[in-house]
Each structure stands twice: as structure tokens, then as C-alpha cells.
Amino acid sequence: SQASREAAQIAASAELESEAEPWSLLQPLNGGNRSGLLAALFKVLYDGQGGAPRLQPDSRALGYMKRLYKAYATKEGIPKSNRGHLYNTVRLFTPCAQHKQAPGDQVAGTLPSVDLLFNLDCVTAVEHLLKSVLLYTFNNSVSFPSAVKCVCNLVIKEPESKTLPGTPYSFTFNSQFEFRKKYKWIEMDVTPLLQPLVASNKKSIHMSVNLTCGKDQLQHPSAQDSPLNTTLLLFPSLLLYLNDTSAQAYHRWHSLHYKRRPSQGPDQKRDLSACPEGEGAAEGIRSSRHRR
Amino acid sequence: SQEAVSSELKKPLVPASLNLSEYFKQFLFPQNECELHDFRLSFSQLKWDNWIVAPQRYNPRYCKGDCPRAVGHRYGSPVHTMVQNIIHEKLDSSVPRPSCVPAKYSPLSVLTIESDGSITYKEYEDMIATKCTCR
């Protein structure tokens, strides 16, 4: 009967809860960021331990992200308001597996083609991709007095990616890099390729990258005899610019448009929306009061 | 009787040592009124500096102090706050006085190293108290 089925469901969910760690019950229900700051805060409240041991990141990648942090936030950590974009999360992944596929051709300025595997376990379902970039770093800052033209050929190696609707299986694009001053890295926008994969919550992305840069435009004497590939590190990092839609993340557009009155908490707002006639009634009273 | 009244009138209204403004202050505003306080911490105190790269120092601030009896617009408190005060004072002291709590927050940008070695920049909502209220 209905009652016995409900009783069975209640018993099952109670059993589930008793098995889960108490602190994990405090986790945000909307599948929010489990590996980030919040999970650590809950763990400290629960058992006093801090973050789990971590793999150490590549120093150049860390340097890039520190520079990004300084551009986006003040020294006290307050997000700068002069930013026009909507992403509140930037994730940098270094390839967890990489190897050279074919040797390059120095005369033609072609870098060796490389095979890369990125593990995107940290990306949560509530994080929506806005932009994605392959980040090449130089092993020292070089300066190119004139523009260098590079052609990049990207192929997604996932066999099942053919089944994903609208996924560009391979992706060739020409990028014009303007090297005018000291550079430590170059960025290539690969958003059209990554968008459907991240949207379908893929956790690992396997791709091969082939980069060819116009050698004759390299005016710099040192660049002539040591083409790009001796200064450009072959294995790029993957940057994802995301909009975290969970309640704990800061939504810039939200704070600009909706100033929340201190006396009105989100739940009260939800109560009103829960019974729309309540809202209509409130509206009606207000307008009649105005009329009076 | 006249003697009692005259002796009452002779008593000093205000103890001579206490001047008038101080005397009235104890009625108008609590001594340690509800307000915002700083608390600067560095993530190394929590032993988190191995994975929280920035910011170096974090001041979440907090609200502390007594709420005046007639709060009104002063803290943006709803009328309910005075009702709760009256209940506490006149009807049932087991109902607590209104508390001094944060009313507004500002976000915080954090740069962290994830367990798989990837690096994350993320902006969290409601991480720094910026205004207090009595509720």
C-alpha cells in the first residue's frame, strides 16, 4: 500500500544517511564544488583536519595563475569590480599524460605534434564553460620584433566524441600571434572544441596538437637559428573560464542588479514565489496604497 | 508625609562624581554596542597555505556587542526586533534578547591548488561581513 511504500522509502533514506559521513551531509546539495574551499571548511569543522595532500603544480602554470589573481582581485582578496566578464571561476589543467607523436620540421617551422590527456575531474556540473584556451609557455621570455603567424591543428582523439552531437571532431584554426614585447606565454582560444565536451560533463579530454609557425617572419636573430620550438614548451596547459552557478559562488551580475534588502532573506523571497497569489496580493495592496 | 518628601527632595538626583552626559548615556546606548570587528587571519594558521595560494591574509570580520532596546532604523532591524525585546523584558525572559549578527557580506577571490594538481581561481559569495544588524 502507499503507506508501507512511503515507510520503506523513509527507512531506506535514513539508512543511507546513517552510512554517510556526518560532515558530508553538510555538503551543498546542488552538487556544488566538492573539492574546493567549502569542502575543506566543512572538514575542519568536523574533524579539524585541513586540506588533503596535493600534487604540486607546474611552476610556470602557478606563475600565470598568480598573475591572473593579481589582475582580478585586490591584495585583501576582494574581486575587482572593473571586470566586464561573467566568469567567477578559472581552472588551469596541465596535461596528465603527454608524448610527442611525430618530429617537427624545423625548416618549415613545424613543431613536433604532441598527444595530450587532460583530467577534468574538478569541473562540477554547476560550472558552465564560457571560454577555453590552450596556454603555451616559453622556457624563457623571448621577444619577437614582428608578428608571427601560426597555424594550429587540433584533433580530439575520443572515439565516442563522434557520437556527441555537434562536436567538431577535428579543428584547424589559424591564429595570428602579435609578439611585440617580452612574452612568457601565448594563448589559443579552443572554446568551440571544448564547449560540447565540458557541457556533456566529460571528465577526460584526449587531443593531439600540431602547431606550425611562419619561420620567415621571425626577425629576431636568435629566433632564426633557434626556431620557435626550442623556446616554446611543447606541452600546453588547458585553461577553462567557467561560470559557477551554485549559491556559494559570487555572481557579479546578480549583485549589480538585485540589491538584497537586509530584512528580506532569500527564503522569504522564495516563500512569496512559492505562493504567487501572495505576491499578487502584496502587489495589489501596494498599488492600492499608492492610489490612496 | 512632609518630612519624607522633603528628605527625598534633599537627596542628590545624580551622584556628584558622575556628570550628566555619562549618566544619560547608560540609558540611551549600551556600553559595548553591536558593531563590526576585525579578525585578520592567515591561512598558514589553519595549515592551509600548502593549497590556498592567495590571498595571503583574510579578514572575515564579525559582529559583536549588545543591541539597544529601541533599535528602530538604526540597524535596519525589522519591528519584530522590538517585539522580541518586549517579550524578553515583560513576558518571558527565556525568550532571548535580539542578537548582533551580520546583515551584509562581500565576496572573496581564492586561488587554490586542487588535489589533482590543477589550479583554481574562484570567487566565493558572502565571505566577509560588511554590516551588522540586531535580530
Side-chain angles (χ1 to χ4, degrees):
Chain A
S1 71
Q2 178 71 14
S4 58
R5 206 177 311 134
E6 276 169 8
Q9 276 171 358
I10 290 167
S13 61
E15 198 178 298
L16 266 180
E17 281 186 8
S18 61
E19 279 158 18
E21 297 244 342
W23 71 276
S24 62
L25 297 180
L26 292 169
Q27 293 291 311
L29 297 179
N30 56 3
N33 186 354
R34 295 186 180 284
S35 61
L37 185 63
L38 297 177
L41 290 173
F42 285 125
K43 250 180 110 42
V44 167
L45 291 176
Y46 171 62
D47 60 14
Q49 302 304 318
R54 289 143 204 268
L55 298 174
Q56 279 313 304
D58 173 71
S59 57
R60 273 174 294 271
L62 194 52
Y64 180 87
M65 290 302 276
K66 283 181 178 174
R67 184 185 162 89
L68 180 136
Y69 185 87
K70 284 186 187 133
Y72 288 177
T74 64
K75 205 174 268 185
E76 291 72 33
I78 311 291
K80 291 178 182 174
S81 53
N82 59 353
R83 288 172 32 209
H85 46 70
L86 290 180
Y87 38 83
N88 52 23
T89 301
V90 181
R91 290 185 182 278
L92 184 144
F93 298 94
T94 41
C96 50
Q98 60 212 359
H99 58 272
K100 287 186 189 176
Q101 256 186 347
D105 171 354
Q106 297 219 358
V107 177
T110 306
L111 301 181
S113 144
V114 290
D115 227 11
L116 305 165
L117 180 65
F118 291 101
N119 168 13
L120 307 188
D121 270 341
C122 287
V123 182
T124 60
V126 291
E127 292 175 348
H128 300 164
L129 183 71
L130 298 177
K131 180 181 162 190
S132 173
V133 161
L134 271 184
L135 185 74
Y136 277 93
T137 52
F138 292 100
N139 48 18
N140 51 27
S141 62
V142 290
S143 60
F144 294 88
S146 69
V148 174
K149 184 172 173 51
C150 292
V151 176
C152 177
N153 187 38
L154 263 181
V155 178
I156 292 287
K157 312 278 277 186
E158 295 304 315
E160 63 271 15
S161 69
K162 292 179 200 163
T163 57
L164 281 178
T167 305
Y169 180 52
S170 78
F171 185 80
T172 303
F173 62 110
N174 303 339
S175 286
Q176 173 80 26
F177 300 128
E178 297 290 329
F179 295 147
R180 293 261 178 251
K181 47 190 186 304
K182 284 221 174 291
Y183 262 75
K184 282 191 175 165
W185 44 72
I186 46 178
E187 300 183 1
M188 288 184 215
D189 191 317
V190 291
T191 310
L193 195 72
L194 268 294
Q195 195 94 44
L197 298 176
V198 174
S200 57
N201 221 3
K202 282 201 73 50
K203 288 305 177 192
S204 72
I205 292 184
H206 187 186
M207 63 170 81
S208 78
V209 186
N210 194 329
L211 194 59
T212 308
C213 291
K215 189 164 171 286
D216 53 303
Q217 286 144 346
L218 295 180
Q219 310 306 323
H220 194 277
S222 71
Q224 291 296 344
D225 43 23
S226 64
L228 207 54
N229 61 348
T230 57
T231 53
L232 187 69
L233 289 187
L234 291 180
F235 302 119
S237 302
L238 179 64
L239 264 176
L240 301 184
Y241 293 84
L242 303 147
N243 175 32
D244 183 333
T245 56
S246 66
Q248 293 83 20
Y250 174 49
H251 302 291
R252 176 179 316 281
W253 52 274
H254 186 271
S255 60
L256 292 179
H257 291 288
Y258 306 104
K259 286 273 178 241
R260 228 185 311 167
R261 287 198 309 277
S263 60
Q264 182 177 2
D267 47 340
Q268 284 163 342
K269 195 182 275 184
R270 201 174 301 129
D271 291 351
L272 269 181
S273 58
C275 49
E277 62 280 0
E279 194 164 330
E283 215 43 55
I285 291 169
R286 235 169 287 162
S287 54
S288 64
R289 193 177 299 149
H290 281 311
R291 270 204 302 279
R292 255 205 311 280
Chain B
S1 69
Q2 277 179 352
E3 293 80 39
V5 169
S6 61
S7 66
E8 273 305 304
L9 285 178
K10 283 186 191 115
K11 267 188 197 162
L13 263 183
V14 176
S17 60
L18 192 65
N19 70 25
L20 211 50
S21 64
E22 282 307 308
Y23 181 70
F24 278 119
K25 200 181 275 187
Q26 65 181 321
F27 291 111
L28 291 181
F29 301 105
Q31 296 309 311
N32 55 344
E33 188 178 346
C34 167
E35 61 185 356
L36 210 50
H37 296 263
D38 284 326
F39 186 89
R40 287 182 178 75
L41 69 90
S42 69
F43 288 110
S44 54
Q45 289 169 279
L46 289 170
K47 297 186 180 53
W48 286 7
D49 47 335
N50 62 326
W51 64 283
I52 294 189
V53 180
Q56 305 288 331
R57 284 172 310 287
Y58 166 42
N59 178 8
R61 310 176 88 178
Y62 65 97
C63 295
K64 180 183 171 188
D66 296 336
C67 291
R69 295 174 63 237
V71 281
H73 66 282
R74 185 177 174 79
Y75 287 96
S77 303
V79 177
H80 172 273
T81 310
M82 277 194 271
V83 172
Q84 185 169 336
N85 238 336
I86 291 168
I87 294 173
H88 171 79
E89 290 180 3
K90 310 284 184 201
L91 303 177
D92 179 352
S93 60
S94 69
V95 171
R97 280 190 183 285
S99 309
C100 172
V101 292
K104 279 191 180 175
Y105 298 90
S106 71
L108 180 76
S109 295
V110 184
L111 187 62
T112 56
I113 298 171
E114 304 285 1
S115 46
D116 63 357
S118 62
I119 307 167
T120 302
Y121 166 87
K122 200 177 255 297
E123 295 169 351
Y124 288 95
E125 188 72 277
D126 302 341
M127 290 289 283
I128 300 173
T130 55
K131 187 168 180 262
C132 298
T133 182
C134 287
R135 306 252 159 146

